[in-house]
Amino acid sequence: MTIGHSGLARLAAAPDAASASSAPAGPYLLEMKGLSKRFGSVTAVSGFDASIAPGEFVTVVGPSGCGKSTLFNIVAGLEEPDAGSILRFEGKGCHAHELLGKVSFMPQRDLLLPWRTVIDNAVIAMEIEGRSRKASRAEARDMLPEFGLAGFGDQYPHQLSGGMRQRVALMRTFMFKRELMLLDEPFGALDALTRTMMQRWLLDVWRQHKRTILFITHDVDEALFLGDRVIVMSARPGRVKLELKVDLPRPRSAELVTSPEFIRLKRIVLEAIEEEAMKSFLASGAAAPQTDAMPEVQP
Amino acid sequence: MSASPLTHPAVTPGGSAALRLLGPLGRLARGLAILLAVFAAWEALVVLFGIRPYYLPRPTVILAALVQTPAPYIQGFLRTLSETLIGFASGALFGIGMGLLFFRARALRELVFPLFIVSQTIPVIAFGALVVLWFGNTLFAKAAIAFYLTFFPVTVNTLLGLESVDPRQEALLRSFGASPLQLMTRLQFPTALPQIFVALRLASSLALVGAIVGEWFGDTVGLGVLLLQGMYTENVVSIWATLLVSALLGTGFYAAVAGAERVLVFWGAEQ
Ligand SMILES: Nc1ncnc2c1ncn2[C@@H]1O[C@H](COP(=O)(O)OP(=O)(O)O)[C@@H](O)[C@H]1O
Ligand SMILES: [Mg+2]
């Protein structure tokens, strides 16, 4: 047992401190209370509580398999949470499926349609809404440079690099003009250099488009660099392990990640994550045939 | 999807049109060159080994026959082409329609699909006899046989293609608020298209077989009729000439379908 008790105590205190200092004025855009989801014998999410204020950039980190994508699928309206879960959007309680078409969702993979050009992939959500194709195409064409896709509007996905495909997927998400955007590990598959460039670029775009973003990542640096607030999820079943306000000045520059304050926050988040990662590691070890080889599984 | 041997052209921003134009022309020239070589070798072999015309006439003789009396061959070509086209087009439309229907209505599929399979176990000759009873010796009787051979593979592959849709892609479009119809037109059908074309290429040959077999049940015009007449009169040159014209029809039709595939399924089996 390497996880100290002092760390736990500090982490337990952290959510209160964060919410006390950052209680946002006005109603929340999205509220989740006691959100739970079971898949057969697997409980993916259990008692997840969080509220997102308009205009906020909230990042969610957690060990893989802890139910982050499940959470997003619920908020995107694709999965119904289990009975007893409370979901409120724009101040009104609602079923998950009522959120279909109301939230701009970007799944983990770019999922571009190979028979559509960059422009036509970007406008698909607007097309589904029934907007004029000509007008949305013109709008997309104007947005290309902002997304680093100038001159690539008429290319097909298979002609693009991974980073460019991801930007097309982001452009598609931005063009579906909804207050709340859900980004599920959008930069997970990119190399480190492209990734940091995309992060700074995303902050620029976010500032200009004034949206509320809920952003999943498993990279702590990314979570802190981007977010107003970081939510650390526990190992499966996923709930909120730690909520941490990130009081770092904006606009944020690349040097921020080496500042003492950043490092301090990072240590807090890492400690919480490590504990959870250890739990899920032990849990998977316990599920393996030789359970007796794993001492002190119970915390 | 990866099973379909698609060769998708390298589309480059500026020169895609030029490439697409050059491609078919180049292929055509290559095909003609091969054909000429085969004819030359054939002619040489027949002359060299003194093969009797009864077994294998010289290509020049066959071509001469074609040039001297082109009318029956042209008539036969057009007639068989019409039968094939009508049967193929209606079979393809019906097959795609049934594939879509079975995809949407699982209960219907469990009810009707076994009947489809049973229908396909009937030998085409037996079915041909029935069709002639129903439609008489009309063009539609032959088209019906071509239809019968076309619709089944198209139905099966349409269904297969529709079921290969990535559920995550479907979830994404649903999150944008897509209706079932929008899912069909914007995701499911395009995803199925490569698979549908695999069946269409197969069906293009089958439809021609259907049309020719149909003509054997009795008619006065058509390539199948010419073949029968050649057999009865032991006119070997005529048989061979009809064979060449049939090959031309079959190859041309297949090439047209494959060409449509290259244009419509330009993205290949990527993913
Ligand atoms: N549709 C589903 N059916 C069954 N199990 C699922 C389904 N979706 C997710 N799960 C399970 O729920 C758990 C959480 O998955 P997910 O939300 O994708 O995790 P994360 O995105 O945090 O890596 C996993 O154990 C996964 O196997
Ligand atoms: Mg995930």
Side-chain angles (χ1 to χ4, degrees):
Chain A
M1 277 293 167
T2 49
I3 301 150
H5 269 277
S6 59
L8 265 180
R10 195 145 51 90
L11 293 175
D16 298 334
S19 56
S21 62
S22 73
Y28 287 110
L29 180 62
L30 174 73
E31 290 167 82
M32 295 163 273
K33 287 205 187 79
L35 213 65
S36 303
K37 180 72 188 175
R38 282 178 73 96
F39 294 107
S41 61
V42 176
T43 307
V45 180
S46 171
F48 183 90
D49 297 296
S51 301
I52 317 294
E56 248 191 322
F57 197 135
V58 177
T59 50
V60 181
V61 269
S64 89
C66 75
K68 302 184 295 290
S69 295
T70 304
L71 192 69
F72 267 29
N73 283 337
I74 292 170
V75 178
L78 296 166
E79 301 261 20
E80 219 45 71
D82 293 341
S85 310
I86 294 174
L87 197 59
R88 293 170 70 80
F89 187 68
E90 292 174 331
K92 288 187 286 285
C94 61
H95 289 288
H97 66 83
E98 293 171 69
L99 295 175
L100 284 173
K102 291 196 180 157
V103 171
S104 190
F105 173 51
M106 174 171 169
Q108 223 163 330
R109 290 200 29 209
D110 60 67
L111 300 179
L112 299 177
L113 300 175
W115 52 85
R116 282 176 171 250
T117 61
V118 165
I119 294 271
D120 286 349
N121 264 293
V123 300
I124 184 143
M126 300 172 82
E127 201 180 301
I128 285 170
E129 279 184 276
R131 305 265 206 95
S132 134
R133 223 178 174 175
K134 199 164 161 245
S136 19
R137 276 189 179 149
E139 192 185 327
R141 216 166 270 287
D142 290 341
M143 279 174 86
L144 285 176
E146 187 185 355
F147 283 78
L149 295 163
F152 286 92
D154 300 317
Q155 302 269 42
Y156 286 92
H158 70 266
Q159 299 170 288
L160 306 179
S161 69
M164 290 173 85
R165 290 177 65 119
Q166 214 60 22
R167 284 200 293 265
V168 178
L170 272 166
M171 185 168 160
R172 178 185 61 199
T173 316
F174 271 95
M175 291 202 75
F176 188 48
K177 295 179 200 63
R178 294 297 181 269
E179 173 73 49
L180 180 61
M181 289 185 33
L182 307 175
L183 309 181
D184 192 349
E185 300 197 27
F187 309 142
L190 303 181
D191 61 274
L193 201 68
T194 316
R195 177 179 253 229
T196 51
M197 280 172 39
M198 293 286 287
Q199 289 166 358
R200 273 179 277 164
W201 165 84
L202 177 63
L203 287 182
D204 280 348
V205 177
W206 171 61
R207 222 183 31 230
Q208 273 154 34
H209 289 261
K210 296 191 179 61
R211 307 278 180 85
T212 310
I213 297 184
L214 202 51
F215 185 109
I216 288 179
T217 174
H218 50 236
D219 179 343
V220 176
D221 279 349
E222 184 169 80
L224 287 166
F225 182 73
L226 295 175
D228 292 320
R229 203 147 46 99
V230 176
I231 293 176
V232 179
M233 278 177 81
S234 68
R236 202 178 63 223
R239 26 165 209 89
V240 178
K241 162 95 180 174
L242 166 73
E243 225 181 294
L244 190 67
K245 177 124 177 90
V246 184
D247 247 333
L248 298 169
R250 292 188 190 271
R252 295 178 180 172
S253 60
E255 302 85 66
L256 187 74
V257 295
T258 52
S259 72
E261 177 61 6
F262 190 94
I263 307 271
R264 190 185 71 80
L265 293 170
K266 186 173 171 180
R267 192 168 297 139
I268 297 174
V269 174
L270 275 178
E271 215 164 328
I273 287 189
E274 225 158 87
E275 202 175 287
E276 290 308 315
M278 187 63 72
K279 263 191 221 159
S280 53
F281 175 75
L282 289 179
S284 62
Q290 305 102 327
T291 32
D292 49 350
M294 212 55 93
E296 285 188 73
V297 178
Q298 291 299 83
Chain B
M1 278 186 112
S2 55
S4 65
L6 298 166
T7 51
H8 46 98
V11 187
T12 47
S16 67
L19 262 175
R20 270 186 205 167
L21 261 178
L22 252 177
L25 283 182
R27 274 195 297 277
L28 194 66
R30 199 183 53 195
L32 281 178
I34 293 173
L35 201 65
L36 270 179
V38 168
F39 275 1
W42 174 357
E43 184 92 21
L45 278 178
V46 171
V47 174
L48 214 67
F49 294 104
I51 300 173
R52 283 173 51 204
Y54 182 82
Y55 293 111
L56 187 63
R58 286 186 295 147
T60 42
V61 173
I62 299 168
L63 290 177
L66 274 173
V67 172
Q68 271 159 23
T69 50
Y73 298 105
I74 292 172
Q75 265 183 353
F77 180 90
L78 290 177
R79 170 68 181 234
T80 305
L81 174 67
S82 320
E83 295 158 357
T84 308
L85 265 183
I86 293 171
F88 176 83
S90 57
L93 283 179
F94 180 75
I96 291 171
M98 289 315 280
L100 293 175
L101 203 63
F102 288 162
F103 178 69
R104 302 284 306 156
R106 204 157 285 267
L108 191 74
R109 165 171 159 194
E110 265 147 39
L111 216 67
V112 181
F113 197 68
L115 293 180
F116 273 34
I117 295 175
V118 169
S119 83
Q120 294 300 303
T121 59
I122 303 169
V124 65
I125 297 280
F127 183 73
L130 261 184
V131 164
V132 170
L133 280 180
W134 292 338
F135 293 95
N137 268 327
T138 59
L139 193 150
F140 293 105
K142 285 84 189 175
I145 298 171
F147 169 92
Y148 165 79
L149 291 179
T150 301
F151 83 88
F152 186 70
V154 176
T155 305
V156 170
N157 274 37
T158 303
L159 198 54
L160 216 67
L162 290 172
E163 284 181 338
S164 71
V165 167
D166 185 342
R168 293 169 303 178
Q169 220 139 24
E170 194 182 316
L172 176 69
L173 294 201
R174 281 207 302 127
S175 85
F176 293 141
S179 67
L181 182 67
Q182 285 174 323
L183 276 180
M184 179 55 73
T185 55
R186 290 181 174 67
L187 177 65
Q188 288 154 347
F189 189 70
T191 303
L193 212 50
Q195 200 64 49
I196 292 174
F197 263 106
V198 172
L200 289 182
R201 270 189 281 130
L202 175 73
S204 68
S205 321
L206 287 176
L208 177 59
V209 171
I212 288 181
V213 167
E215 286 167 359
W216 288 352
F217 286 95
D219 208 331
T220 47
V221 207
L223 295 178
V225 176
L226 287 178
L227 276 176
L228 273 193
Q229 285 172 352
M231 261 158 66
Y232 287 139
T233 57
E234 293 204 0
N235 186 344
V236 179
V237 172
S238 165
I239 292 178
W240 278 94
T242 313
L243 216 122
L244 285 190
V245 176
S246 305
L248 181 71
L249 175 54
T251 316
F253 194 37
Y254 184 90
V257 174
E261 175 176 1
R262 263 191 300 277
V263 173
L264 290 174
V265 193
F266 57 89
W267 65 91
E270 188 238 9
Q271 253 179 357

